[in-house]
Amino acid sequence: DAGVIQSPRHEVTEMGQEVTLRCKPISGHNSLFWYRQTMMRGLELLIYFNNNVPIDDSGMPEDRFSAKMPNASFSTLKIQPSEPRDSAVYFCASSLKGAGYEQYFGPGTRLTVT
Amino acid sequence: KQEVTQIPAALSVPEGENLVLNCSFTDSAIYNLQWFRQDPGKGLTSLLLIQSSQREQTSGRLNASLDKSSGRSTLYIAASQPGDSATYLCAVTGANSKLTFGKGITLSVRP
């Protein structure tokens, strides 16, 4: 299995632009998680999906952030408009049955907003 | 609100030493606890997962223990090697099914 796939691996954009991060979970996994990692705050859960349905989005920082999972093999995290404080590494992870099961992480997308 | 603490933030040891990494959490109502490894610029790799009903898990030179009542876990690494150099993160799954991470311990094993 290829593992969790994220794209792009690096993204540099200007403040105010829209950014879309993509994730393909491991085939057969029915839970998908988006995390953000910064030096100051560490790793934080933004949102997670079970069977393509958002279960908990309380970690989404504000309305500029949105996430979708149109099918079992694809999810997006969108930031519109982006701000310099959104600069971070964004990780996607998937698990077989839910948050209580082992999570497999993608390589992350390093986002820089100038 | 669950808080996970890992102290110290960094550790440097000579090769061959046995070492213990500590993790503490404030809310003992957890489903499980996981230890992850993160190499620079990479994603996280799950090392061990301990269910709340278990006391410990072992994988090769790694042994993780869990004392839920006291809110503590330790990751024991036997005979450390330079290849063990990485950041080790502890995370707990709470009753709300959220995974809460510590900030990690950056380990450097000197040849």
Side-chain angles (χ1 to χ4, degrees), chain A residues 63-112:
Chain A
D63 291 346
R64 298 183 297 105
F65 285 70
S66 63
K68 293 182 179 179
M69 191 163 187
N71 57 62
S73 59
F74 183 66
S75 177
T76 59
L77 178 67
K78 185 178 294 186
I79 308 172
Q80 165 65 15
S82 58
E83 297 182 2
R85 61 194 168 114
D86 301 331
S87 298
V89 181
Y90 291 81
F91 288 103
C92 175
S94 70
S95 75
L96 193 57
K97 291 184 181 180
Y101 289 77
E102 189 170 3
Q103 295 187 22
Y104 296 82
F105 280 70
T109 295
R110 181 173 295 277
L111 173 65
T112 303

Side-chain angles (χ1 to χ4, degrees), chain B residues 11-19 61 77-82 84-85 107-111:
Chain B
L11 188 61
S12 179
V13 300
E15 182 177 3
E17 194 164 295
N18 300 325
L19 56 99
R61 293 184 294 109
I77 302 177
S80 59
Q81 303 170 357
D84 295 330
S85 297
L107 172 66
S108 174
V109 181
R110 307 186 301 273

Side-chain angles (χ1 to χ4, degrees), chain B residues 62-84:
Chain B
L62 305 179
N63 175 276
S65 67
L66 173 64
D67 184 342
K68 201 174 74 163
S69 61
S70 68
R72 295 178 188 276
S73 174
T74 60
L75 179 66
Y76 175 83
I77 302 177
S80 59
Q81 303 170 357
D84 295 330

Side-chain angles (χ1 to χ4, degrees), chain A residues 4-113:
Chain A
V4 176
I5 299 172
Q6 291 187 248
S7 65
R9 294 293 310 277
H10 301 273
E11 177 80 34
V12 180
T13 191
E14 292 183 348
M15 182 174 63
Q17 296 298 306
E18 177 180 298
V19 175
T20 299
L21 310 181
R22 297 173 177 79
C23 175
K24 177 179 168 55
I26 292 174
S27 177
H29 284 192
N30 69 358
S31 297
L32 183 141
F33 309 83
W34 282 101
Y35 293 90
R36 178 172 68 178
Q37 187 176 40
T38 61
M39 289 291 290
M40 287 290 292
R41 301 174 67 92
L43 202 61
E44 302 173 288
L45 177 68
L46 299 177
I47 185 171
Y48 82 89
F49 295 84
N50 245 10
N51 294 317
N52 313 337
V53 176
I55 301 301
D56 187 341
D57 65 356
S58 59
M60 297 286 263
E62 44 196 279
D63 291 346
R64 298 183 297 105
F65 285 70
S66 63
K68 293 182 179 179
M69 191 163 187
N71 57 62
S73 59
F74 183 66
S75 177
T76 59
L77 178 67
K78 185 178 294 186
I79 308 172
Q80 165 65 15
S82 58
E83 297 182 2
R85 61 194 168 114
D86 301 331
S87 298
V89 181
Y90 291 81
F91 288 103
C92 175
S94 70
S95 75
L96 193 57
K97 291 184 181 180
Y101 289 77
E102 189 170 3
Q103 295 187 22
Y104 296 82
F105 280 70
T109 295
R110 181 173 295 277
L111 173 65
T112 303
V113 183

